[in-house]
Amino acid sequence: MTKNDQLSYGIIVVAAGRGERAGSLQDGPKQYRLIGGRPVIVHTLDVFAAWPAQKTIIVVIHPDDETLFAEAARHLTDKNLTVSIVHGGATRQQSVLAGLKALESSGVTHVMIQDAVRPFVDHALLDRCASAFAEGHEAVLPGLAVADTLKRAASDGTVIETVARAGLFAAQTPQCFRFEAILAAHQRAADSARSDFTDDAALAEWAGMTVALVEGSVDNVKLTLKRDIAMADEKLSRDLMPDVRTGNGYDVHQLVPGDGVTLCGVFIPHDQALLGHSDADVPLHALTDALLATCGAGDIGDHFPPSDPQWKGAASHLFVEHAVKIVREHGGTIMNADISLIAEAPKIGPHRQAMRERLATMLGISLERCSVKATTNEKIGFVGRREGIAALATSTVVFRARGR
């Protein structure tokens, strides 16, 4: 085990501000504005949620924003992500202290404090911060060397001097600290009635901590003004790659003497029946596999093993509906389903419309997006000898696209 493996991280996402510089309050706080179709804060949270380090996530929100945050959280990619929320204070400094106190009993060794409105932070930057901790630093600040020439101005707007930019860096977040040290520093500042620190690194410096610089990211911009949000939305909208996935499924069941078969949830009287642990609805079994394939969720046997007695005689629409739930939990929207039945008998044509209607209901999509076709096997093979019925299913699912 490396030293880095022994560290655990508290993530504090600061989202309690009002964002007056980002436009009218009628537009809502900037952390909840949409960029690329999702709230700014969701893009930020998704990055930290997907970071593989051990972590606990705290979001510090304004007391008036609980409904806004709950609505935003519906867009999170990881539906199993657990985040705790606490209410912030009148200043950013007070909000961070509230987040730190919420982490006191979590047992984390280190904390990363991130602005909610820096949605383009990336894992490479987080890894650089973590590596600095592994080297023994107690405070880490991502920064970019200042490239512009700097001028100091007088109150009348005239230039007093040119400031040498050598050794100057623009600070970014997440600003990262050994947990106990930054909690003590924040508490000391609060007890001293100091509330004038512009960031957590400045407070850490005041408390005597040595802050190490790591390379920031040019993409890790803070969305401050209304035009920043518009530009971020344009960037994501331009860069988004459509995430369209197609899944295929195949199934076959043996025909035995009986009084009918169930296909696509429709019972058809027939002189044979399909043999299976459940109701042996061949096309629905194939469709279940097709849906699961779009999000890498295994196959029907993984979720409904034939050895499990609870599925004996079960209606197969339950399997499809379970697969639909999994697809939606992964952020997928089902676009269509196409079923091909291969059977010598019974005739499918008279029942096709009813089958399509059942599919539309199970999948929650329109009838025009559901197709059922049938063909014989020209009396060749096991299908041709009426020993079984086979089905092929294809489904297309669109998942929420990501810009990175």
Side-chain angles (χ1 to χ4, degrees):
M1 178 182 293
T2 67
K3 185 172 182 179
N4 220 4
D5 293 329
Q6 301 170 15
L7 307 184
S8 60
Y9 297 90
I11 310 298
I12 296 177
V13 177
V14 186
R18 298 291 83 191
E20 286 85 354
R21 287 182 289 174
S24 169
L25 284 181
Q26 293 180 346
D27 297 328
K30 60 187 176 181
Q31 57 269 36
Y32 300 107
R33 310 271 182 89
L34 298 184
I35 58 171
R38 295 190 297 157
V40 170
I41 190 173
V42 170
H43 292 272
T44 305
L45 285 170
D46 270 350
V47 175
F48 284 94
W51 191 46
Q54 181 182 346
K55 56 197 174 292
T56 301
I57 300 178
I58 302 288
V59 182
V60 186
I61 68 171
H62 192 281
D64 295 340
D65 291 350
E66 288 199 13
T67 300
L68 279 173
F69 181 78
E71 176 64 23
R74 295 193 310 107
H75 298 271
L76 289 169
T77 298
D78 183 355
K79 297 301 181 183
N80 296 316
L81 173 65
T82 300
V83 298
S84 299
I85 61 171
V86 295
H87 291 162
T91 66
R92 185 185 188 280
Q93 192 174 318
Q94 291 173 350
S95 294
V96 172
L97 180 56
L100 290 169
K101 287 183 175 179
L103 282 170
E104 272 191 284
S105 61
S106 67
V108 300
T109 61
H110 292 73
V111 63
M112 294 183 167
I113 304 170
Q114 170 72 7
D115 293 329
V117 289
R118 288 186 185 268
F120 299 113
V121 63
D122 57 42
H123 289 180
L125 175 54
L126 303 185
D127 290 342
R128 288 196 291 275
C129 294
S131 294
F133 282 143
E135 293 169 4
H137 297 290
E138 67 173 351
V140 180
L141 170 69
L144 290 177
V146 173
D148 295 328
T149 297
L150 301 177
K151 304 290 183 179
R152 191 185 308 281
S155 58
D156 64 358
T158 60
V159 173
I160 299 175
E161 63 173 325
T162 298
V163 180
R165 67 189 181 202
L168 294 182
F169 287 79
Q172 298 184 331
T173 66
Q175 297 186 0
C176 313
F177 309 92
R178 187 168 58 82
F179 177 72
E180 291 181 357
I182 194 62
L183 174 59
H186 261 279
Q187 191 61 64
R188 178 182 159 197
D191 294 343
S192 303
R194 287 291 305 270
S195 59
D196 56 331
F197 297 103
T198 56
D199 68 358
D200 301 292
L203 189 152
E205 296 160 32
W206 168 78
M209 299 169 67
T210 300
V211 181
L213 276 167
V214 298
E215 182 185 358
S217 167
V218 294
D219 293 326
N220 186 26
V221 295
K222 185 176 182 180
L223 306 185
T224 302
L225 304 175
K226 190 171 184 176
R227 69 170 177 268
D228 298 332
I229 296 171
M231 291 173 66
D233 183 47
E234 181 181 358
K235 169 183 168 61
L236 286 173
S237 299
R238 182 180 64 247
D239 293 347
L240 288 176
M241 294 295 292
D243 189 357
V244 181
R245 309 178 194 176
T246 299
N248 294 308
Y250 171 81
D251 195 33
V252 60
H253 277 275
Q254 183 181 359
L255 283 166
V256 295
D259 61 356
V261 296
T262 299
L263 301 173
C264 293
V266 176
F267 181 77
I268 304 173
H270 186 47
D271 61 359
Q272 291 178 296
L274 286 166
L275 183 64
H277 185 66
S278 64
D279 64 0
D281 194 326
V282 186
L284 293 192
H285 293 184
L287 179 58
T288 300
D289 275 348
L291 291 168
L292 293 172
T294 64
C295 45
D299 61 27
I300 191 172
D302 295 324
H303 297 266
F304 305 98
S307 58
D308 190 336
Q310 71 173 307
W311 305 121
K312 183 172 179 61
S316 295
H317 70 83
L318 297 173
F319 307 156
V320 174
E321 288 162 359
H322 176 76
V324 168
K325 181 174 180 287
I326 290 175
V327 167
R328 289 177 178 161
E329 286 175 347
H330 280 75
T333 299
I334 299 169
M335 303 306 296
N336 81 308
D338 179 31
I339 303 289
S340 292
L341 281 159
I342 306 99
E344 298 297 323
K347 296 282 187 183
I348 302 302
H351 309 281
R352 180 180 288 113
Q353 184 69 8
M355 292 179 179
R356 293 176 62 218
E357 290 171 357
R358 291 300 304 274
L359 289 176
T361 299
M362 287 178 233
L363 300 175
I365 59 178
S366 63
L367 185 65
E368 66 180 11
R369 295 179 180 272
C370 300
S371 170
V372 175
K373 309 185 301 293
T375 186
T376 69
N377 217 37
E378 299 294 339
K379 299 184 179 180
I380 301 170
F382 72 90
V383 172
R385 294 190 297 270
R386 294 183 54 171
E387 295 172 359
I389 293 177
L392 295 167
T394 302
S395 184
T396 301
V397 178
V398 176
F399 289 80
R400 280 194 299 269
R402 290 171 156 185
R404 56 184 187 279

